[in-house]
Amino acid sequence: MIRAVYPGSFDPLHNGHLDVIKRSARIFDQLTVAVLHNRQKPTTLFDIEERLAILREAIDGLPNVEAAMFEGLLVEFCRQSGARVIVRGLRAISDYEAELQVAHLNRQMNPAVETLFVMTATRWSFVSSTRIKEIAQLGANVDKLVPKASLDRLEARFGPPRV
Amino acid sequence: MIRAVYPGSFDPLHNGHLDVIKRSARIFDQLTVAVLHNRQKPTTLFDIEERLAILREAIDGLPNVEAAMFEGLLVEFCRQSGARVIVRGLRAISDYEAELQVAHLNRQMNPAVETLFVMTATRWSFVSSTRIKEIAQLGANVDKLVPKASLDRLEARFGPPRV
Amino acid sequence: MIRAVYPGSFDPLHNGHLDVIKRSARIFDQLTVAVLHNRQKPTTLFDIEERLAILREAIDGLPNVEAAMFEGLLVEFCRQSGARVIVRGLRAISDYEAELQVAHLNRQMNPAVETLFVMTATRWSFVSSTRIKEIAQLGANVDKLVPKASLDRLEARFGPPRV
Amino acid sequence: MIRAVYPGSFDPLHNGHLDVIKRSARIFDQLTVAVLHNRQKPTTLFDIEERLAILREAIDGLPNVEAAMFEGLLVEFCRQSGARVIVRGLRAISDYEAELQVAHLNRQMNPAVETLFVMTATRWSFVSSTRIKEIAQLGANVDKLVPKASLDRLEARFGPPRV
Amino acid sequence: MIRAVYPGSFDPLHNGHLDVIKRSARIFDQLTVAVLHNRQKPTTLFDIEERLAILREAIDGLPNVEAAMFEGLLVEFCRQSGARVIVRGLRAISDYEAELQVAHLNRQMNPAVETLFVMTATRWSFVSSTRIKEIAQLGANVDKLVPKASLDRLEARFGPPRV
Amino acid sequence: MIRAVYPGSFDPLHNGHLDVIKRSARIFDQLTVAVLHNRQKPTTLFDIEERLAILREAIDGLPNVEAAMFEGLLVEFCRQSGARVIVRGLRAISDYEAELQVAHLNRQMNPAVETLFVMTATRWSFVSSTRIKEIAQLGANVDKLVPKASLDRLEARFGPPRV
């Protein structure tokens, strides 16, 4: 049985993330979506409870997927939860380099855990949480880019789309 | 008649920007250089009035070019000003990826506006406003890199070149 | 009036090309799709007449678009046909570098002609004529990737899809 | 049970390939290393039998790994052998783009098969079959770069290292 | 006699830096490792004295290498110290672009100083000071990634490795 | 004393090459420009004698630069000629990756020889021998891109510029 972990900030979850989750759930026996809680730099728009709540709404109906919070080193979280695989989505070249750097470092810290990269569908290749927050704040309608759970929270923050 | 918008922070305008403006003015019937005014993150060195003033000095003599301020979503500004084309300059690879991400997002929000990319001349390929501010503050002479309008304001801030 | 040229081998035309053609036709007054005829290296799958015929079928219904053959230097073709703009589609990073190299060289040869880059829609970002020929020859169905005019000729060459 | 396919030319197998094979064998239940046989372009240094023989020597001792030959479309080979996963090793950026293009195309042809990318260990990041053949032919000692099975065949072709 | 300068923040020095230092010391007659002191943005983990102290411990035994502090423009520091060469290590693509931008700017400011790039060994290609601080703070053991001088200071800050 | 080797095909020498030669000649005590002679794949436009003759004309007046022919492994040529440094020019990203791959392989074969990268001036960043041959054959005037020695031979082959 292969248990995989898909880590991230998910601030908030968008359709590109959800695409990676669904693909991974079809490959691996068990998938844990691990939401990073950074107590020292609490710079996210949504706090850890909101981000977990959005995620739980969105993965409802995927039986082998669960949401969890993690702090500290990802490889340590993998060791504790018995995961042998870290899943990451690849979009652009700049992602790729940062991802490889982190993955090599994780391998150096724990060679028993392997990082596997999944391609994001081309239609979500331009979507990122940072951009979504930016344009939602300016009044854009992002209902094509995020699941309903994220949309509701974004509207609660920034009001309904004005443009 | 094609009306194009060239958006940016222009903090301050440099010769690479001016090169894109001149090329675009030769192609399109009307060009609006749109200076982003971000009320929420006022992190520019020069405020919106100064940046507009520099720009107006520099485009003096280009009859089909005008300067404007914009806030909010760029595609909304295009809609209001009747522009069908967004112009962006391309330099390095890293630019390219970020630019494509934004351009795809803009297309998703408003398919009627198309983003076109112009090549910056190779001699300005290493010039950026960030680097110029950095070295001007350290006393470097940047008179080869910026138009006189920017040079005057940089000297007013940081004093004459010391090196 | 802006006359633009969209050059390429189009061996054969695919949906990514067609996407660039349609976008460009909305921006520019007149668009010439210029098919490269290389007498010295006749390595295309389809000869120049077939490639032009496919193109003419596919652009039927676009009133301001025409197909033409060119040999020799592109900038010379632009000069002769009165085009001030070369249009190129951008997909991947590797494209980008080769395109910039060619564009800078063209500018060096004829500064009056400007190269503008259009983004290919993300859904065609992985499509290239080379790959399409490769998989069509192996029996793949490419009807989602090329217009009917290309599909007919590919089937005439390689037979109906077998997979 | 997850059955994965690791496709390639393996002309010849090198230590970077072997690294990907060993990592994948630890993750997936069954791994088929699929050697491409291109009847139409027989441009490999070693023929299909030699490449398979090298591979079989090198994977001897890995119980869940087998070697196979494939022709035609990779996704068709996956369908026939019941594999849901294609494994590819990632090294450089240029790899990455070509790999993504192929992977998106494969997904378009068969959405049931997912491509996963494994990182090659940094120490093999500069190794490629093309370079190895090049320098072995010029007399270089490549015993640090390839397994013994490949080394024997390279020496049979090019003689013992002369430098 | 060629005097070279290797500039950086070295916050803290890691094995990739040390690799570049040792390679450069074998090529050039005299190497000055120049530690940037930024009075206006004191955002480093270790102050300038600590960073210089770590460096001096680590280069002890390399007779033609010395440590120095610099403020202001690097090309001005080169001019004052009589250095004709700036040495920089190359790792990833993203490095490469930023490095080239800075190097072209430095050349524009002082054409007499040339920037030369040295390849970091592949085994350190994923190591950066930023990542090291990040994981050391989370309790990771970084003794394979930094020299003893850095390790001691990191432990003094963050305590012994907990994972 | 540092002896450096600048290897290449130089088919033919262009202004970007000459720029690297002049920069390197100012840094190193002795520079050997080493022209690759590939007996097995004689695919160059100019044969080895022509390429050497062009080079010798162009470096006339640079006292510490000499031209030489090499066959076989570059690191072996370096060993025989007592060179400790290989110089390579960097232009685009795609260069960079191929260059790094070769440089790491050379280091693996001979750790005593170090590869150093010099930046090509931005104004030559889009120039390559391949493109120059291509456009010269089509009748373009390349007198701004190559030294007179190359121009003469290109005209002898392709006739005077026709465009």
Side-chain angles (χ1 to χ4, degrees), chain E residues 108-125:
Chain E
Q108 202 273 337
M109 290 190 279
N110 186 347
V113 177
E114 197 69 43
T115 302
L116 293 180
F117 296 98
V118 175
M119 284 182 308
T120 307
T122 52
R123 62 185 305 214
W124 309 120
S125 62

Side-chain angles (χ1 to χ4, degrees), chain C residues 11-12 16 43 61 87 106 140 144 155 161:
Chain C
D11 182 43
T43 58
V87 173
N106 284 338
K144 301 251 173 43
E155 294 204 3

Side-chain angles (χ1 to χ4, degrees), chain A residues 144-159:
Chain A
K144 301 252 172 44
L145 307 176
V146 298
K148 189 175 177 306
S150 297
L151 194 65
D152 292 347
R153 266 86 175 181
L154 285 166
E155 293 204 3
R157 286 295 169 98
F158 301 128

Side-chain angles (χ1 to χ4, degrees), chain D residues 122-134:
Chain D
T122 52
R123 61 187 304 217
W124 308 122
S125 63
F126 59 92
V127 178
S128 76
S129 294
T130 303
R131 295 278 179 227
I132 285 169
K133 286 181 281 189
E134 216 170 271

Side-chain angles (χ1 to χ4, degrees), chain F residues 6-14 17 21 33-38 41-55 68-70 74 87-88 99 128-130 133 150:
Chain F
Y6 176 38
S9 291
F10 305 107
D11 182 44
L13 187 79
H14 59 61
H17 295 136
I21 291 172
V33 185
V35 184
L36 176 64
H37 182 27
N38 192 338
K41 285 195 211 153
T43 58
T44 53
L45 175 66
F46 297 106
D47 66 27
I48 182 70
E49 281 75 28
E50 285 175 295
R51 289 181 282 144
L52 278 166
I54 289 172
L55 183 57
M69 186 261 275
F70 85 101
L74 176 60
V87 173
R88 295 293 291 154
E99 292 290 340
S128 76
S129 294
T130 303
K133 287 180 281 189
S150 296

